[in-house]
Amino acid sequence: MPQYEAGTFDVIVVGAGHAGAEAALASARMGAKTLVLTMNLDMIAFMPCNPSIGGPAKGIVVREIDALGGAMGRVIDKTHIQMRMLNTAKGPAVRALRAQADKVLYQQEMKRLMEEEKNLTLHQGIAEKLLVEDGKVQGLITQVGGIYRANSVVITTGTFLRGEIIIGDLRYSSGPNNQQPSIKLAENLEELGFETVRFKTGTPPRINSNSIDYSQTEIQPGDDVPRAFSYETTEFIMDQLPCWLTYTNEKTHQIIDANLHLSPMYSGMIKGTGPRYCPSIEDKVVRFNDKPRHQIFLEPEGRNTREVYVQGLSTSLPEHVQRQLLESIPGLEKAEMMRAGYAIEYDAIVPTQLWPTLESKQIENLYTAGQINGTSGYEEAAGQGLMAGINAAAKVLGKEEVILSRSDAYIGVLIDDLVTKGTNEPYRLLTSRAEYRLLLRHDNADMRLTELGHRIGMVSDDRYEKFLAKKERIGEEIKRLRNVMIKPNEATQQMIRDAGGSELKDGIRGADLLKRPEMDYDMIQRLTASETELEDEVKEQVEIQVKYEGYIEKSLQQVAKLKKMEDKKIPENIDYHSISGIATEARMKLSEVRPLSIAQASRISGVNPADISILLVYIEQGRIAKVSV
Amino acid sequence: MEFDTIAAISTPSGEGAIAIVRLSGPEAIPIADKLFQAPSGKKLAEQVSHTIHYGHLVDPWTEETVEEVMLSFMKAPKTFTREDVIEINCHGGIVSVNRVLALVLRAGARLAEPGEFTKRAFLNGRIDLSQAEAVMDLIRAKTDRAMDVALNQMEGRLSKLIGTLRQALLESIAQMEVNIDYPEYDDVEEMTRPIMLEKSMWVRSEIDKLLQTSSQGKILREGLSTVIVGRPNVGKSSLLNSLVQENKAIVTEIAGTTRDIIEEYVNVRGVPLRLVDTAGIRETEDIVERIGVERSRKVLKEADLILYVLNYSEPLTAEDERLFEAVKDMNYIVVINKTDLPQKIDLEKVQALAGSRLLVTTSLIEEEGIDQLEEAIADLFFEGEIEAGDMTYVSNARHISLLHQAHQTISDAIEAAEMEVPVDMIQIDVTRTWEILGEIIGDTADDGLLNQLFSQFCLGK
């Protein structure tokens, strides 16, 4: 194959899925001349699995992406068919937004955004080989011999690396949804010394909506209240489509039992590790055989299609068994299967080979993001893509690197977990992975990240000024509530009684009254006769910040402690083998992960407090030695 | 980890007439002020630095006077660690010094890691490079031993109990997490405030019990309750006297209403024992019948350790065998006394009856075998891994301090539940309690929760 010089860029992004799209947009937005290379331009931001975005933890990631100037929130706000706020009966820390997506519209909108972005070039092509010189990436060569030169490369190949689809005893080389797999690039990464693991994930069958008897299912509508992920969204889609709920039953489970020998999961054909939080239906039935039924959600894939995603029925059983399964489920007796479910195995790189910027430790200026790093989920991919894009561009442009801490964002938790602990199954974010989830709320993503987004050039001045104004209104209102006295007059007592609280004995400050469980902001506002009418978002912030002040304060104290440890940096050139006293296991783990700070070191499993103490002493010793020379 | 206030006993254990508990860190003075009462009523914060003060330590929770002490007050930077330092000089002896340590830990100090004072001195630029090397060796050496102790205790009753509490908490936490992360998953009951409250109350009451009765805590306050039993004239009183003579008695007291039960406090190789001699009880013909006397039975039941004395120069009697039966589920050591006389006892049969229990032969008259017995007691307590009382009581104080912390966090959870705070926020304190209890038994693996989640629930969406 003759080669030719195809162009020079600051940053090349390989892949245009959820990670690639964010990486490319971020890099371009930061001011880097960026190329995004994808196998198929019609598959930009494709959702090979469920047609939904958000949910607990993940929804907060979408908000964080938005606050940092990313695209996912804006795009889903324009293309969803349903939105729901989850966990509304619980505290503010765990509320989360979830949207059902119109998959095709989502792709089109993302593609449009990318096409509009200046500094960003889209090109269809297959990356085969990275150009690496002196341990530093220089660009890549495509299948057709195009040589693309760049200072940084971001690889976001999802499940394409040596992807293999498995249905029953059929197994063939493929990316998701029968796209081309990436074989040459996988071999190239192996040659370059990347350690990989084999993961597996799966997807359920899709059926035609016209063949569903909805009368036998329960309706699951969206919220009546307009909702949006992006802080910038001003137009809301109110025309929503419902989802539907049905259940498996004894008969379904009998079919699975009778055909288990045909399942590649159980015949030993699938070796890759699958995610525990998203098991196949055969897994659910085998592992929880006392459960008489499992939930099946029927989710429309879009407005202009009749295809319906059968959430909960992920399987790799042969197609004829999948048909039987569907027929056993109420409402789906006559279901017309449009696509069969399948399992997919793929290579993921071991993520402890990355720095917290998502740059590879082996090859300078090479970044990886998304499912290739062992995660699962569109939001996890997008969050990483955004950070990899920001850092790839920052490095080229000589700007500061951006690492979010565990107390800054769920994205910080995600990346820190990956690069510090690695993962032995496809990694999904869960709220329980965050130590400071009270600080990492859905509502305050802008409070946490807009400042940073603006500083690095991802958030416009205009948006930033709006944010500052909002912040100021929140601060002023809190100050007002802390000062204003509420007298125990009859009107006040009446309102408190009506809310089910006990009467006031004395006058009380507005903020203190708001702390009572039965009170909310609107009540206090009425009692204190405020003249300015504030936006709902401001009211929400005021209420949460005042009501949960004690808890928030407690979390902040913990964060302050952690910060001291984060600030104790470990020199990059440290040689753990020359430090006497560190236990062997800790020594190996530290050498592998090469943590940047003492805090990160202490999160590595197998590194105990004594090792940390020794490390601290050693580093201090080095510092003193340097000074005294 | 850094920059908090640490405390530890800084004198060798048990031996000296005076022991020192040292505190270092930004909270050292406020903590001491919480506990210390000078006759003048003056607060330490008002005093001149580098001075010594006489006064009492008073438990602020019970207002009980704990110790008469001399307290050295040294403000940073001219101190060993270059931080504020308080040294509390109290009476020597394991019980009193541990009581003081437990008190300062409760008041907000953290138990120092081995070598931590020296480490701070180094980090704050107080000592030089060569000394630092020594610190690292020290940290490693001491920690390995501390870990041995921790491992030994893993087997113990305490860790089992803690394990039960943690599992109960974990199930609630997992359930809560499922509610949060899988809000549509309908197969798990919604975790509600009343359920959370009930469970938290139960855990708190168990922690209360542990704090009151855990053998570890008991040792700190009153020693390991040790009862000497055996037929008449096997040498019980001689054994008591030998143990007391060999070891300096810490306290001697005669219980007011039960003058016939004598208690002696002794320190056997770092293990504090409260020796209870039933010898004072009027002896009846049938020893088992005597055990049946309500009071003696109670003493026996509450014993942490039994020293069961047999006569080497007489064959085993039916009574001896019945006594084996009476103590069979307890911790005991068989002491075969009077080896100065010809052997009549069938040692193989004794061994068969005693199973895996330790046998020690003595001649108390000839002063033989006492060392072996003391070693056996220490072995039993430390499971043979550690020399005289070095780390163990410290880690006990650590347990107690952690239990107090857990008590605090679970109380916060209870208060929040009563205040109708949202369940997922109550759970923050519940999770913290679970983590603190994990520190007691050294189980801080953070994938425990996820494993629980995925094994307990069948999750999808």
Side-chain angles (χ1 to χ4, degrees):
Chain A
M1 172 72 58
Q3 296 182 343
Y4 80 106
E5 288 290 336
T8 302
F9 296 86
D10 291 327
V11 174
I12 298 174
V13 177
V14 180
H18 302 282
E22 294 290 352
L25 283 167
S27 167
R29 188 142 202 189
M30 296 269 294
K33 189 183 172 205
T34 306
L35 169 74
V36 60
L37 198 63
T38 168
M39 278 182 178
N40 186 345
L41 276 171
D42 296 327
M43 301 305 276
I44 284 178
F46 176 59
M47 300 185 192
C49 203
N50 56 327
S52 85
I53 281 181
K58 290 161 167 275
I60 302 179
V61 168
V62 181
R63 295 277 276 185
E64 292 170 352
I65 291 170
D66 183 67
L68 284 170
M72 186 173 244
R74 277 182 288 156
V75 175
I76 187 66
D77 282 350
K78 281 192 177 171
T79 60
H80 64 270
I81 58 172
Q82 185 195 105
M83 275 261 194
R84 275 181 74 188
M85 184 65 93
L86 303 170
N87 289 333
T88 46
K90 302 188 183 86
V94 298
R95 270 169 222 160
L97 196 54
R98 191 183 58 209
Q100 296 301 133
D102 183 313
K103 288 165 87 157
V104 173
L105 290 183
Y106 186 89
Q107 286 183 262
Q108 285 172 351
E109 178 63 17
M110 187 64 86
K111 186 169 177 230
R112 192 188 64 78
L113 267 189
M114 292 171 76
E115 289 164 349
E116 300 284 320
E117 186 72 43
K118 60 174 185 160
N119 287 337
L120 182 58
T121 304
L122 284 77
H123 184 73
Q124 182 165 298
I126 297 174
E128 277 198 355
K129 192 174 182 320
L130 292 170
L131 296 170
V132 178
E133 267 170 49
D134 301 330
K136 199 167 167 179
V137 74
Q138 312 283 338
L140 53 81
I141 306 176
T142 64
Q143 198 179 24
V144 294
I147 300 173
Y148 293 84
R149 302 200 182 268
N151 295 330
S152 291
V153 174
V154 183
I155 301 186
T156 66
T157 49
T159 59
F160 283 74
L161 286 187
R162 288 204 190 104
E164 283 183 295
I165 282 184
I166 304 135
I167 308 175
D169 58 4
L170 174 68
R171 177 185 197 107
Y172 58 95
S173 190
S174 172
N177 201 32
N178 292 338
Q179 299 178 77
Q180 277 191 66
S182 219
I183 309 249
K184 289 265 174 64
L185 187 61
E187 285 167 4
N188 185 224
L189 288 174
E190 201 169 66
E191 280 161 24
L192 291 170
F194 281 94
E195 191 191 336
T196 59
V197 282
R198 196 83 178 143
F199 280 166
K200 169 247 152 188
T201 185
T203 191
R206 322 291 153 100
I207 56 181
N208 189 319
S209 179
N210 295 339
S211 65
I212 299 173
D213 177 3
Y214 286 110
S215 68
Q216 295 191 57
T217 65
E218 295 161 32
I219 191 163
Q220 302 232 304
D223 289 350
D224 297 331
V225 196
R227 306 219 186 254
F229 279 100
S230 173
Y231 288 93
E232 291 190 301
T233 295
T234 48
E235 284 171 37
F236 300 88
I237 297 172
M238 291 315 291
D239 170 24
Q240 302 189 69
L241 298 181
C243 295
W244 307 84
L245 173 63
T246 180
Y247 295 91
T248 63
N249 52 42
E250 279 307 319
K251 199 172 156 202
T252 322
H253 302 177
Q254 280 162 16
I255 296 167
I256 289 169
D257 279 338
N259 290 285
L260 209 54
H261 61 286
L262 299 175
S263 163
M265 294 283 301
Y266 288 86
S267 66
M269 206 167 135
I270 290 182
K271 299 250 161 36
T273 314
R276 284 178 297 178
Y277 43 78
C278 192
S280 63
I281 187 69
E282 45 268 44
D283 235 8
K284 291 186 199 175
V285 170
V286 170
R287 285 181 48 217
F288 296 90
N289 60 6
D290 54 331
K291 277 197 68 171
R293 62 179 201 175
H294 295 277
Q295 289 168 312
I296 299 292
F297 295 91
L298 303 173
E299 305 179 0
E301 296 222 325
R303 293 182 193 275
N304 303 318
T305 174
R306 302 306 287 163
E307 244 182 299
V308 171
Y309 182 88
V310 188
Q311 168 80 262
L313 206 68
S314 175
T315 180
S316 52
L317 281 162
E319 195 175 274
H320 72 275
V321 183
Q322 294 190 27
R323 286 186 193 277
Q324 290 176 42
L325 290 180
L326 288 170
E327 284 161 16
S328 73
I329 296 169
L332 308 186
E333 293 90 346
K334 299 206 167 75
E336 193 182 293
M337 194 202 311
M338 295 176 69
R339 301 177 206 225
Y342 61 86
I344 183 164
E345 276 194 332
Y346 57 97
D347 282 359
I349 69 160
V350 173
T352 49
Q353 297 169 102
L354 306 172
W355 297 114
T357 54
L358 297 177
E359 184 183 5
S360 150
K361 289 171 188 166
Q362 282 104 311
I363 297 169
E364 213 184 326
N365 289 8
L366 179 64
Y367 296 76
T368 58
Q371 221 156 351
I372 187 178
N373 287 347
T375 59
S376 107
Y378 312 139
E379 305 82 356
E380 286 89 342
Q384 288 173 70
L386 178 78
M387 298 315 292
I390 288 173
N391 279 309
K395 185 141 186 189
V396 174
L397 303 170
K399 293 192 192 171
E400 59 173 331
E401 60 181 29
V402 182
I403 298 172
L404 298 175
S405 81
R406 301 182 73 89
S407 54
D408 288 334
Y410 270 96
I411 300 174
V413 173
L414 162 73
I415 295 177
D416 182 65
D417 276 350
L418 288 175
V419 304
T420 307
K421 296 174 183 162
T423 181
N424 45 25
E425 67 181 326
Y427 178 102
R428 173 183 175 163
L429 262 180
L430 296 162
T431 55
S432 59
R433 297 197 197 261
E435 297 85 346
Y436 313 109
R437 73 178 179 214
L438 186 55
L439 303 179
L440 307 184
R441 302 188 308 270
H442 166 88
D443 61 83
N444 71 351
D446 59 338
M447 296 288 139
R448 292 184 270 132
L449 300 167
T450 308
E451 184 92 51
L452 172 68
H454 180 252
R455 195 173 73 227
I456 61 175
M458 288 290 294
V459 168
S460 68
D461 291 343
D462 180 46
R463 181 174 180 180
Y464 182 56
E465 267 152 35
K466 280 188 192 143
F467 160 75
L468 287 181
K470 175 183 171 189
K471 198 174 161 188
E472 197 183 321
R473 284 198 295 282
I474 294 166
E476 274 172 9
E477 181 61 2
I478 291 177
K479 208 162 110 193
R480 185 183 75 85
L481 291 184
R482 283 199 180 126
N483 289 320
V484 68
M485 285 299 290
I486 295 174
K487 293 199 184 78
N489 59 32
E490 186 41 38
T492 306
Q493 305 289 36
Q494 182 63 44
M495 184 184 280
I496 293 172
R497 275 196 305 269
D498 289 348
S502 53
E503 290 190 357
L504 295 179
K505 292 194 187 71
D506 275 312
I508 186 168
R509 289 190 199 280
D512 292 329
L513 187 58
L514 180 52
K515 285 193 171 121
R516 287 196 179 186
E518 72 274 10
M519 303 304 286
D520 63 27
Y521 175 82
D522 287 335
M523 295 161 90
I524 303 293
Q525 195 191 19
R526 262 178 283 157
L527 288 175
T528 57
S530 158
E531 283 159 28
T532 44
E533 181 60 28
L534 296 164
E535 314 91 291
D536 289 346
E537 280 198 355
V538 171
K539 290 183 190 171
E540 183 185 29
Q541 281 307 305
V542 171
E543 179 169 316
I544 292 170
Q545 288 186 28
V546 170
K547 240 179 164 28
Y548 303 109
E549 193 183 4
Y551 280 89
I552 293 172
E553 190 50 42
K554 233 197 286 188
S555 291
L556 287 173
Q557 282 169 10
Q558 284 175 15
V559 171
K561 271 191 183 171
L562 178 80
K563 181 81 175 37
K564 285 183 180 159
M565 305 269 285
E566 298 280 4
D567 288 345
K568 287 196 180 288
K569 300 293 176 207
I570 300 176
E572 215 179 292
N573 57 2
I574 194 165
D575 175 11
Y576 292 101
H577 295 282
S578 70
I579 308 174
S580 58
I582 291 187
T584 314
E585 189 196 352
R587 196 188 296 268
M588 282 166 55
K589 287 281 184 62
L590 286 164
S591 305
E592 184 193 329
V593 175
R594 288 154 74 189
L596 299 180
S597 69
I598 288 293
Q600 194 192 351
S602 64
R603 287 193 291 268
I604 301 171
S605 63
V607 175
N608 65 41
D611 300 313
I612 295 295
S613 287
I614 290 166
L615 193 55
L616 269 171
V617 171
Y618 180 86
I619 292 166
E620 194 63 18
Q621 190 179 323
R623 196 182 63 76
I624 292 170
K626 233 178 271 167
V627 171
S628 59
V629 164
Chain B
M1 156 171 205
E2 299 301 304
F3 312 114
D4 47 1
T5 297
I6 53 173
I9 299 169
S10 61
T11 40
S13 80
E15 311 302 326
I18 284 178
I20 297 174
V21 172
R22 181 193 277 160
L23 283 124
S24 175
E27 293 295 309
I29 296 166
I31 288 171
D33 263 335
K34 260 192 239 174
L35 309 173
F36 181 69
Q37 288 186 1
S40 67
K42 249 189 166 180
K43 286 284 166 198
L44 289 166
E46 305 160 18
Q47 304 279 10
V48 180
S49 181
H50 291 74
T51 48
I52 295 187
H53 306 273
Y54 167 82
H56 291 90
L57 287 190
V58 177
D59 183 334
W61 294 276
T62 62
E63 292 181 8
E64 204 178 305
T65 299
V66 176
E67 276 286 314
E68 186 183 25
V69 298
M70 295 292 286
L71 190 144
S72 312
F73 164 68
M74 291 161 279
K75 285 190 80 147
K78 285 186 181 169
T79 66
F80 176 57
T81 56
R82 292 210 170 159
E83 300 175 327
D84 289 345
V85 168
I86 296 284
E87 289 185 352
I88 303 170
N89 296 252
C90 58
H91 295 290
I94 206 156
V95 175
S96 54
V97 71
N98 269 300
R99 212 184 271 161
V100 172
L101 179 60
L103 195 61
V104 299
L105 295 180
R106 259 185 92 185
R110 170 173 69 71
L111 189 71
E113 290 160 27
E116 198 171 3
F117 286 100
T118 321
K119 187 179 91 184
R120 286 196 176 194
F122 172 75
L123 290 178
N124 291 323
R126 176 73 168 65
I127 58 173
D128 68 16
L129 284 174
S130 62
Q131 282 170 292
E133 299 280 356
V135 178
M136 288 198 275
D137 292 345
L138 182 74
I139 292 169
R140 172 53 63 199
K142 284 244 182 175
T143 310
D144 283 348
R145 214 158 58 178
M147 275 169 64
D148 283 346
V149 175
L151 282 176
N152 289 335
Q153 285 168 344
M154 286 285 286
E155 307 292 326
R157 204 168 70 193
L158 179 70
S159 76
K160 260 187 218 152
L161 268 164
I162 299 279
T164 313
L165 294 185
R166 290 191 84 220
Q167 185 58 31
L169 289 174
L170 186 59
E171 281 165 17
S172 292
I173 297 166
Q175 191 179 338
M176 187 68 232
E177 294 295 342
V178 171
N179 291 163
I180 293 169
D181 274 327
Y182 296 87
E184 284 147 329
Y185 180 67
D186 64 356
D187 212 50
V188 52
E189 187 185 346
E190 185 77 17
M191 179 52 84
T192 60
R193 215 175 278 121
I195 302 175
M196 201 71 129
L197 183 61
E198 196 188 318
K199 196 149 240 181
S200 301
M201 299 274 255
W202 175 72
V203 168
R204 184 169 68 179
S205 73
E206 289 299 305
I207 293 175
D208 274 334
K209 274 192 227 159
L210 268 177
L211 278 169
Q212 284 161 11
T213 64
S214 85
S215 60
Q216 318 293 28
K218 222 160 85 181
I219 290 159
L220 276 183
R221 288 193 300 276
E222 48 189 282
L224 201 65
S225 158
T226 308
V227 181
I228 303 174
V229 297
R231 279 189 292 121
N233 297 320
V234 293
K236 296 192 295 295
S237 299
S238 312
L239 177 58
L240 177 85
N241 290 334
S242 300
L243 286 170
V244 172
Q245 275 157 21
E246 285 267 318
N247 303 285
K248 190 179 65 176
I250 300 169
V251 191
T252 305
E253 63 178 77
I254 296 171
T257 50
T258 57
R259 296 191 65 85
D260 45 9
I261 293 182
I262 296 165
E263 295 187 354
E264 296 279 0
Y265 285 74
V266 297
N267 176 358
V268 173
R269 304 193 177 200
V271 186
L273 299 187
R274 188 176 90 242
L275 283 173
V276 184
D277 179 20
T278 54
I281 298 174
R282 191 183 56 80
E283 306 212 333
T284 66
E285 294 304 309
D286 187 332
I287 189 166
V288 177
E289 182 189 307
R290 202 188 71 197
I291 296 290
V293 175
E294 184 65 24
R295 189 168 52 235
S296 303
R297 181 187 280 162
K298 190 162 173 281
V299 167
L300 200 61
K301 208 174 119 197
E302 287 175 358
D304 298 308
L305 173 66
I306 287 166
L307 301 177
Y308 177 20
V309 189
L310 292 169
N311 191 336
Y312 184 76
S313 64
E314 287 173 13
L316 273 185
T317 65
E319 236 175 291
D320 288 328
E321 290 186 36
R322 266 181 286 163
L323 204 47
F324 265 113
E325 186 61 26
V327 298
K328 73 173 188 314
D329 292 327
M330 313 193 64
N331 259 326
Y332 65 90
I333 295 173
V334 181
V335 181
I336 304 167
N337 188 31
K338 303 194 181 181
T339 53
D340 46 296
L341 299 173
Q343 177 177 0
K344 294 263 175 65
I345 199 164
D346 179 352
L347 280 178
E348 277 178 23
K349 197 169 172 195
V350 174
Q351 188 69 68
L353 284 166
S356 61
R357 297 328 204 287
L358 289 165
L359 295 190
V360 179
T361 52
T362 60
S363 167
L364 295 170
I365 287 181
E366 309 264 309
E367 295 183 10
E368 278 170 15
I370 284 287
D371 275 355
Q372 285 86 330
L373 175 61
E374 290 190 3
E375 210 159 289
I377 292 170
D379 278 356
L380 195 70
F381 189 69
F382 297 126
E383 306 208 354
E385 287 296 324
I386 198 154
E387 61 191 81
D390 183 8
M391 292 296 293
T392 304
Y393 65 86
V394 178
S395 62
N396 288 339
R398 190 180 73 92
H399 291 170
I400 288 178
S401 151
L402 286 167
L403 280 172
H404 279 294
Q405 283 179 37
H407 192 273
Q408 183 59 51
T409 52
I410 200 74
S411 298
D412 288 349
I414 290 168
E415 193 190 335
E418 283 165 349
M419 290 284 294
E420 294 180 47
V421 166
V423 191
D424 55 283
M425 295 177 71
I426 302 170
Q427 192 217 324
I428 296 174
D429 284 317
V430 174
T431 306
R432 186 74 197 117
T433 309
W434 177 71
E435 287 166 357
I436 293 170
L437 291 177
E439 283 177 42
I440 295 180
I441 54 177
D443 178 6
T444 49
D446 52 12
D447 52 359
L449 174 59
L450 293 185
N451 289 335
Q452 178 72 30
L453 215 63
F454 297 121
S455 61
Q456 194 177 344
F457 305 104
C458 175
L459 300 170
K461 192 160 183 166

